[in-house]
Amino acid sequence: MKIGFIGTGTISEAVITGMMKAGLKIDEIIVSARSRKTSADLAARYSCVSICEDNQDIIDQSDLLFLAVLPQVAEEVIAPLTFRADQEVCSLIATIPVEKITAWGGEVARITRAVPLPPVAELNGITVLSGPSERVEMIFNALGGAIVTKSLREFDAYTVPGSSMGLYFGIQELIADWIKDQGGDRQEARRFIASLFAALSRTAEQSEDSFSVLRSEHSTPGGLNEQMFRVFCGSGGKDALNDAMNAVADRITKARS
């Protein structure tokens, strides 16, 4: 199987790294020169990775094509290209619907949309898919797991929390800054908060309990953890989070029009 990548940024690098770590049977991976540093690094690390300067050549040589360009340049990149009628495409461009991709590049055998996150590089990220594809599902199952959504609405719903990586680290940053303001050391605060959040994430991953149950188990009635969540919600924290998620959902919906 020959796999092509148009757009070679952070997510493409994570997916390719995961493919190599998982030992998938791939004859060749052809990557675009953009970004040049990432593509050069991948070609240096893996013998099956080659760089191609021409995006149409990548399409012509690929059995499975990954589109991984930024949404704001997607039309500019894709419109000059022509897909093969028997081609399978996996779009990693979160906000661009299938209809726009086919309008720009022509009809293909199948387009699957996927939202992989950086942990797929460590075979530890669940990827949400829209559209059935045994080949794409097999790849992402090997990279940590796959969820095949049953509707566009469900796919969009998973896409929204996938946009919370900056928020996740931002919350840790705010807590570490608060510790520093109380006289703590910034690096020690960072180390402590990162360790705490990582441990809690492992607990959630290894448990089948709901988040509500886990919160109760980690919050003694009348205790400090119970107080933290109660004050957070009472001060508008829950509303702020819902506002942020709704804003991202609205942006995704508008991108389809």
Side-chain angles (χ1 to χ4, degrees):
M1 174 170 59
K2 289 188 176 183
I3 297 178
F5 281 81
I6 294 179
T8 317
T10 301
I11 296 301
S12 292
E13 182 179 23
V15 172
I16 293 170
T17 301
M19 288 176 176
M20 296 296 96
K21 189 166 292 188
L24 297 178
K25 294 181 179 179
I26 299 170
D27 298 313
E28 185 178 2
I29 296 176
I30 310 160
V31 299
S32 60
R34 187 176 175 177
S35 99
R36 190 167 295 277
K37 181 181 183 306
T38 302
S39 57
D41 286 347
L42 287 167
R45 281 156 54 194
Y46 306 116
S47 60
C48 69
V49 174
S50 62
I51 302 171
C52 184
E53 299 285 342
D54 187 282
N55 287 337
Q56 187 61 54
D57 285 346
I58 297 176
I59 292 174
D60 294 342
Q61 297 180 62
S62 300
D63 303 311
L64 172 62
L65 177 71
F66 283 87
L67 297 175
V69 297
L70 295 173
Q72 54 266 39
V73 299
E75 182 174 8
E76 175 188 343
V77 173
I78 298 172
L81 305 175
T82 303
F83 299 138
R84 299 196 314 272
D86 65 343
Q87 195 145 45
E88 183 171 2
V89 172
C90 180
S91 172
L92 309 183
I93 314 171
T95 59
I96 304 297
V98 168
E99 292 77 12
K100 283 190 176 181
I101 294 172
T102 54
W104 296 334
E107 294 294 331
V108 296
R110 180 185 295 110
I111 297 182
T112 303
R113 294 175 67 193
V115 188
L117 300 175
V120 297
E122 302 299 325
L123 311 184
N124 193 31
I126 295 177
T127 299
V128 179
L129 307 178
S130 175
S133 166
E134 290 184 7
R135 184 151 48 182
V136 173
E137 191 175 348
M138 177 273 295
I139 288 172
F140 285 112
N141 271 327
L143 271 57
I147 295 174
V148 182
T149 56
K150 301 176 182 64
S151 67
L152 182 57
R153 182 180 181 185
E154 184 186 6
F155 178 76
D156 287 347
Y158 278 107
T159 302
V160 171
S163 306
S164 65
M165 290 185 290
L167 173 64
Y168 176 81
F169 290 113
I171 289 174
Q172 294 184 68
E173 178 186 17
L174 292 173
I175 297 173
D177 285 346
W178 186 89
I179 293 174
K180 178 181 176 295
D181 290 344
Q182 311 310 307
D185 178 80
R186 179 184 293 275
Q187 284 303 110
E188 289 298 307
R190 183 200 181 283
R191 188 163 69 95
F192 172 74
I193 296 304
S195 175
L196 172 63
F197 274 60
L200 293 173
S201 293
R202 285 194 296 272
T203 297
E205 187 175 36
Q206 294 167 6
S207 173
E208 294 184 358
D209 290 333
S210 68
F211 288 118
S212 178
V213 168
L214 290 173
R215 176 172 59 81
S216 296
E217 290 177 348
H218 288 73
S219 302
T220 302
L224 300 179
N225 284 283
E226 185 275 336
Q227 180 182 4
M228 178 74 79
F229 186 70
R230 173 170 47 80
V231 173
F232 174 80
C233 291
S235 299
K238 179 181 177 181
D239 291 337
L241 180 58
N242 282 331
D243 286 346
M245 294 180 72
N246 287 331
V248 171
D250 288 344
R251 180 177 174 183
I252 291 171
T253 301
K254 289 175 182 176
R256 291 202 298 266
S257 60

